[in-house]
Amino acid sequence: MKGIFITFEGPDGSGKTTQLHKAAEKLRQMGYEVLESREPGGTELAEKVRSLVLDASLPLAAKTEVLLYLAARSEHVEKVLRPALATGKIILCDRFCDSTLVYQGLVKGLSKEQLAELRRLNAYACDELIPDLTLLLDGRTEVLAERRSLRGVSDRYEDKGLEFQRQVRTGFCTLAELEPQRIRVINAEQSADKVAADVLQVIRAVLPE
Ligand code: TMP
């Protein structure tokens, strides 16, 4: 029995973490075994890497930043994600390779060749693991920014301002256009309950009977 690998992506403030928990709860009620995880993170070492990369007081060279995310991903895939898939679990993961392509790739204005290289590095780090489904929680930058300011959270990226967040949104939408089968766009501006219903509807389509 092979599990199902579902990732949640989107700009900061899109509500993906809340929605991931809601979906996990619902799926458990339906009798599925669910693993919730996140990137960077998911293992003790990867969580330590997370605190390094998200610490705005530690300036990172661009390649160091990429390699830290990928190091955390490699740990996570090998030690947590692959074993969970092998035992038939449904994995809901908060961010994965698409975030690297957006934050360390598209937003940085990398050339086509550099982006292709980043894709290869991603594939190397995650040993070619591709999500069965990716939910992109998308909404207007101003609306999501308003939510973020209400939450009062801040890290290396969240402090970068509206223009940065706009580029992040554009980056994710570009990826969704390239892979419409895998990446399904959900309107994150709706009420939390409506977003949860849309998320579940899309997930249902990939569940085993
Ligand atoms: P989170 O707040 O959604 O958990 O994500 C933490 C931050 O990490 C978010 O601002 C995006 C960033 N990030 C990257 O820049 N590259 C990556 O590969 C991942 C997984 C996250």
Side-chain angles (χ1 to χ4, degrees), residues 8-14 16-17 38-41 50 53-54 65-66 69-70 73 94-104 122 151 153 155-158 164-165 168 172:
F8 284 62
E9 298 277 6
D12 306 290
S14 57
K16 62 187 170 41
T17 308
R38 70 172 181 181
E39 290 217 342
R50 179 186 180 93
V53 282
L54 297 186
E65 184 181 331
V66 169
Y69 280 113
L70 297 186
R73 179 158 306 136
D94 197 338
R95 298 196 184 280
F96 195 60
C97 291
D98 296 313
S99 278
T100 310
L101 291 176
V102 170
Y103 286 86
Q104 282 71 49
N122 248 340
R151 274 193 301 147
V153 182
D155 64 27
R156 185 185 297 279
Y157 307 99
E158 292 185 333
F164 176 80
Q165 294 298 341
V168 168
F172 277 120

Side-chain angles (χ1 to χ4, degrees), residues 17-208:
T17 308
T18 310
Q19 290 299 332
L20 186 152
H21 293 317
K22 279 178 182 279
E25 223 167 83
K26 201 79 194 166
L27 290 168
R28 288 192 186 107
Q29 283 165 13
M30 290 162 69
Y32 292 101
E33 263 203 86
V34 181
L35 173 79
E36 292 176 62
S37 200
R38 70 172 181 181
E39 290 217 342
T43 72
E44 200 181 337
L45 186 146
E47 290 291 336
K48 287 193 172 159
V49 173
R50 179 186 180 93
S51 55
L52 285 178
V53 282
L54 297 186
D55 182 348
S57 72
L58 292 173
L60 289 175
K63 284 185 182 168
T64 312
E65 184 181 331
V66 169
L67 293 171
L68 284 173
Y69 280 113
L70 297 186
R73 179 158 306 136
S74 157
E75 280 286 304
H76 191 210
V77 168
E78 190 175 324
K79 300 200 174 140
V80 176
L81 301 184
R82 291 266 190 215
L85 287 174
T87 57
K89 291 202 176 72
I90 297 181
I91 299 173
L92 302 185
C93 187
D94 197 338
R95 298 196 184 280
F96 195 60
C97 291
D98 296 313
S99 278
T100 310
L101 291 176
V102 170
Y103 286 86
Q104 282 71 49
L106 293 166
V107 162
K108 299 258 165 97
L110 297 192
S111 67
K112 231 173 142 188
E113 290 72 27
Q114 288 169 321
L115 277 173
E117 189 178 25
L118 193 56
R119 281 187 185 275
R120 278 196 297 277
L121 288 168
N122 248 340
Y124 171 72
C126 71
D127 206 13
E128 314 281 343
L129 179 65
I130 298 169
D132 298 294
L133 172 69
T134 296
L135 296 152
L136 171 56
L137 272 69
D138 178 58
R140 280 169 296 172
T141 303
E142 293 73 14
V143 177
L144 303 189
E146 174 95 23
R147 281 196 198 155
R148 272 204 318 281
S149 69
L150 289 178
R151 274 193 301 147
V153 182
S154 96
D155 64 27
R156 185 185 297 279
Y157 307 99
E158 292 185 333
D159 288 339
K160 283 199 164 183
L162 278 189
E163 190 41 43
F164 176 80
Q165 294 298 341
R166 237 174 246 124
Q167 289 172 356
V168 168
R169 181 188 189 197
T170 306
F172 277 120
C173 291
T174 303
L175 295 185
E177 276 167 27
L178 290 174
E179 285 185 78
Q181 286 290 91
R182 172 175 70 86
I183 306 180
R184 306 294 300 276
V185 183
I186 307 274
N187 176 4
E189 289 185 23
Q190 307 175 102
S191 71
D193 285 348
K194 180 69 175 76
V195 175
D198 286 1
V199 164
L200 204 68
Q201 190 185 16
V202 176
I203 290 180
R204 272 180 198 274
V206 299
L207 294 179

